[in-house]
Amino acid sequence: MRRPPFRSGEQEQIDAMIETLRRRSAAALDKEEFTSAVWLAYYEADSSYHLFEGCCDWDAYLHTRLNEAIEALKCERNRRMSVESRFSLNQPVGRSQRPAIDVLFPMQGDFTRGIDFWDYMERLGSPKYNMVRGFCRRDSDQEIMTDLHMAAPEFYQLKWELQADMWKYLRI
């Protein structure tokens, strides 16, 4: 059973909710692309809610579906930008010109490099350690600044220091 069509003012409420979501969690995304994707997720949620009606209420279901759409957009944006960014783990490093992610996190059974990496990050201090955790979650700079309650100048200063620290780590 589908929800009833828009009631008076409901579309404006949804537009306001989408704008709030965009400002809070996806400010770096293209506004038009974000709005289209979230409206599409809204319509998909509206048409599939009847399948989940017994397990959760409409607001919880809609919130979940919208967040899934936002995460998909972020992943796609990050995938597109991953090779172009100077801070990307897809940038080639060293003589081998292998991507940094292959050097830091090789796809093999040996997990010691990962342990060494996180141990090194922990020794850099809490702010840098938490920044790296945010980068590994593929959070945007804005999301990391918000999570860590940092102003932009402090964040970018630490990011530059972190880049230098990473070069030192790669030389070990």
Side-chain angles (χ1 to χ4, degrees):
M1 180 162 156
R2 287 183 51 121
R3 287 181 66 251
F6 290 123
R7 293 179 290 279
S8 174
E10 186 176 17
Q11 184 170 356
E12 291 78 16
Q13 287 176 334
I14 296 167
D15 281 333
M17 176 186 62
I18 289 172
E19 183 58 25
T20 301
L21 282 171
R22 191 185 71 75
R23 271 191 252 120
R24 184 178 37 166
S25 64
L29 296 174
D30 178 68
K31 183 178 182 178
E32 203 171 293
E33 181 182 17
F34 178 85
T35 303
S36 297
V38 173
W39 265 107
L40 180 61
Y42 173 84
Y43 285 123
E44 288 174 353
D46 186 42
S47 64
S48 63
Y49 176 61
H50 69 281
L51 299 171
F52 299 92
E53 201 163 355
C55 77
C56 59
D57 67 351
W58 165 248
D59 291 335
Y61 182 70
L62 177 62
H63 181 73
T64 300
R65 296 301 302 266
L66 295 182
N67 282 330
E68 287 171 353
I70 292 168
E71 286 304 311
L73 274 176
K74 286 180 185 178
C75 286
E76 177 58 26
R77 180 209 59 202
N78 291 343
R79 188 192 60 73
R80 283 192 311 249
M81 293 176 58
S82 67
V83 177
E84 300 162 7
S85 172
R86 292 187 340 190
F87 298 106
S88 170
L89 291 177
N90 291 323
Q91 287 290 323
V93 294
R95 287 184 219 125
S96 69
Q97 290 297 298
R98 291 178 36 215
I101 193 149
D102 290 347
V103 174
L104 295 173
F105 306 105
M107 299 301 284
Q108 58 187 359
D110 181 12
F111 59 89
T112 56
R113 284 189 183 177
I115 291 172
D116 290 343
F117 172 78
W118 287 110
D119 180 59
Y120 183 79
M121 289 299 112
E122 199 167 17
R123 291 170 193 238
L124 294 177
S126 182
K128 290 180 185 176
Y129 177 81
N130 289 324
M131 283 175 67
V132 170
R133 291 188 59 84
F135 293 136
C136 289
R137 284 191 310 264
R138 299 185 180 264
D139 290 348
S140 68
D141 288 355
Q142 185 62 45
E143 291 168 326
I144 295 171
M145 282 188 274
T146 301
D147 288 347
L148 299 179
H149 308 289
M150 278 187 190
E154 177 188 8
F155 174 81
Y156 287 109
Q157 177 62 40
L158 283 175
K159 194 171 182 181
W160 280 109
E161 290 173 16
L162 185 59
Q163 182 183 23
D165 293 332
M166 289 305 302
W167 281 113
K168 288 176 192 171
Y169 174 78
L170 290 172
R171 286 188 212 115
I172 294 176

